[in-house]
Structure formats: structure tokens, C-alpha cells
């Protein structure tokens, strides 16, 4: 099973003036990231982890930015070939 070894997101909470570090594991080895369905499933797993990691941040205090940071870090931690597959599956087809 392939898992992002450790998705560690340091969340800077500007409104509170403090920092918080959390860790989540996001499985991806069972997904074909080169397909839209596989990438969608990976995105759903990222959203779930991001909601959990960012739930203590007030909506007006940057929760959306926190969730974006978690997503960006999860994709960054994928191995190179998996990143390429994921990115290509996100490119819209032009007819």
C-alpha cells in the first residue's frame, strides 16, 4: 500500500498568532492517478484530511487557505511519476 509517508502541514494561524503542526496519512497506492476517477478519489481523500486538520481554524480565520495548503502539500509529497499522472488527469480534454 502506498501512502504519503507523512503529510505534515504547519498551519500558521495569523488571527491567533500561533502555529500548529499536525500530521495525516493519505493512501494513494490503490488509485490510478492517471485517470480522472483516480484523481477524483485522491482529491476526496485530501479534502477529508484537510477538513480534519483545519477544523480548529475559524472560517473567517483562514480555513480555506489551510485546506489549500494541505492539498498542495499532499500533491507535492507524491513521487514524481505520480505527480505527473495526477497533473495530466486534471488537464481538461480539448475537442
Amino acid at each position: 500500500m502506498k501512502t504519503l509517508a507523512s503529510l505534515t502541514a504547519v498551519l500558521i494561524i495569523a488571527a491567533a498568532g500561533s502555529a500548529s503542526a499536525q500530521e495525516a496519512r493519505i493512501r494513494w497506492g490503490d488509485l490510478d492517478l492517471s485517470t480522472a476517477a483516480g484523481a477524483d478519489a485522491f482529491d476526496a481523500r485530501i479534502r477529508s484530511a484537510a477538513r480534519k486538520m483545519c477544523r480548529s481554524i475559524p472560517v473567517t480565520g483562514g480555513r480555506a487557505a489551510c485546506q489549500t495548503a494541505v492539498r498542495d502539500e499532499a500533491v507535492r509529497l507524491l513521487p514524481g511519476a505520480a505527480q505527473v499522472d495526477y497533473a495530466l488527469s486534471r488537464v481538461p480534454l480539448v475537442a
Side-chain angles (χ1 to χ4, degrees), residues 43-86:
D43 287 341
R45 292 175 186 181
I46 292 171
R47 279 192 303 277
S48 177
R51 278 193 301 273
K52 290 175 187 170
M53 293 180 76
C54 301
R55 69 177 155 225
S56 64
I57 299 174
V59 173
T60 58
R63 186 178 298 167
C66 171
Q67 292 175 347
T68 298
V70 170
R71 181 200 167 282
D72 292 349
E73 182 71 358
V75 173
R76 187 188 71 75
L77 289 173
L78 286 170
Q83 281 184 28
V84 171
D85 287 344
Y86 175 79

Side-chain angles (χ1 to χ4, degrees), residues 3-95:
T3 303
L4 294 177
S6 171
L7 166 61
T8 303
V10 177
L11 310 174
I12 306 297
I13 306 170
S18 63
S20 170
Q22 296 180 5
E23 184 175 307
R25 294 188 182 271
I26 301 171
R27 290 185 19 217
W28 62 273
D30 59 328
L31 303 173
D32 181 354
L33 298 180
S34 68
T35 67
D40 288 345
F42 184 60
D43 287 341
R45 292 175 186 181
I46 292 171
R47 279 192 303 277
S48 177
R51 278 193 301 273
K52 290 175 187 170
M53 293 180 76
C54 301
R55 69 177 155 225
S56 64
I57 299 174
V59 173
T60 58
R63 186 178 298 167
C66 171
Q67 292 175 347
T68 298
V70 170
R71 181 200 167 282
D72 292 349
E73 182 71 358
V75 173
R76 187 188 71 75
L77 289 173
L78 286 170
Q83 281 184 28
V84 171
D85 287 344
Y86 175 79
L88 290 174
S89 72
R90 296 283 147 227
V91 175
L93 295 174
V94 178

